[in-house]
Each structure stands twice: as structure tokens, then as C-alpha cells.
Amino acid sequence: MASTHRAPIEEHPDLVELRARHDRAAATPRAQMVEALALLAGLYLAASPWIAGFNDSVTLAVTNLICGIAYMLMLGGLGNSYERTHSMAWAAAAIGIWTCVAPWVVTGDVAQTRSITSNLIVGVIATLLALAAASGARDRDARRDPGAQPYRSMPGNH
């Protein structure tokens, strides 16, 4: 009975190329700018009740604190592990959308001009940054080789 030696899945050529593509995408100035701005947006979102002065609305303050921290964690590691956080960018976009509607949805009387204005501005910015992070790798590959064939995982797929 002959045994065949197989290389570990981590050494598969498709995975190596995919990791290299993600590394190239994360090293671009655009990706680094998106990551830095996302960290700032998440930090502001977490601290916004105290910065904008609506910390007396406890439910919205806690919501913004949790969402800000989650947003920073989702997009903060973009440069270090782009292949993992790229898919989390879509969840970060959902947090941005939630931030826009939170003043009207959370329990209590929180619909103040300061809270609405702050949440709308940071929510729109957070959503746009998350969408930019989600589209980063695809845009970079399209610019690099506009005539490239779509990725095929199975040999013989045409």
C-alpha cells in the first residue's frame, strides 16, 4: 500500500496567492488611511456621549460606547490581518447604519439635536469607511490588471 505525501493546505497555491493579494491590498496608502480613519471614527463613536454632551441619555451612551468599541475592533486590525477583517467590514457597515438610527430606536427619550446630529454624522462616515474597507482588495486587483480573469478555485472551470 503506497502512501502519498500531501502538502499542508496552508501551502496550496491558491491560498498563497490569496494571502499575497490581501497583503498587497492592506499595504496600500488607501487601506492604511481607511484603517486610521475607521479607528478615529470608532473612538469618537465610543466617546461621543461625553464629547457631544448627551451622556445623560444612558441607553444611547452605552449603545454608542459598545458600538464604537466593536467598530474599532472590526476595522482596527485591517493592516495586520486583512484577510480576516475584510469580511468583518460588512458588519462594521451595519454598525454604521445602526448608529444612524439608534437615537430613535433605543429605549428612552434620547432624540436630542446633539445626539441625532452626532450619530448621523459619525454613522454615515463609519458606513462609508466600512464600505471602502470592504471594497479595497477588489478595487486594487481590478486596477492592477484590468484584463484579469475571475478567480477560479477549480481547475478546468472556464
Side-chain angles (χ1 to χ4, degrees):
M1 190 168 191
S3 67
T4 60
H5 174 65
R6 293 184 181 214
I9 190 71
E10 293 85 19
E11 296 175 12
H12 191 277
D14 290 340
L15 288 177
V16 171
E17 169 57 30
L18 185 62
R19 284 191 186 114
R21 184 180 77 183
H22 288 306
D23 289 342
R24 284 191 306 271
T28 64
R30 175 185 172 193
Q32 293 169 356
M33 180 186 68
V34 167
E35 180 184 1
L37 291 175
L39 284 171
L40 290 174
L43 181 62
Y44 176 80
L45 177 58
S48 64
W50 296 274
I51 294 171
F54 58 92
N55 58 330
D56 55 333
S57 303
V58 177
T59 52
L60 186 59
V62 170
T63 298
N64 282 10
L65 179 64
I66 292 170
C67 288
I69 291 169
Y71 187 84
M72 285 189 299
L73 291 174
M74 286 182 184
L75 292 183
L78 194 61
N80 296 332
S81 59
Y82 186 77
E83 63 198 34
R84 292 183 192 96
T85 56
H86 174 72
S87 60
M88 287 190 280
W90 293 106
I95 289 175
I97 293 168
W98 167 254
T99 300
C100 291
V101 299
W104 295 283
V105 176
V106 297
T107 325
D109 184 22
V110 295
Q112 304 168 357
T113 304
R114 287 181 283 182
S115 64
I116 293 171
T117 304
S118 176
N119 274 35
L120 283 176
I121 291 171
V122 75
V124 167
I125 290 171
T127 303
L128 293 174
L129 288 170
L131 293 175
S135 70
R138 185 192 53 168
D139 290 348
R140 173 152 168 73
D141 285 345
R143 282 192 312 266
R144 188 173 45 107
D145 189 5
Q149 296 295 319
Y151 178 76
R152 290 184 181 88
S153 60
M154 300 295 290
N157 287 349
H158 298 288

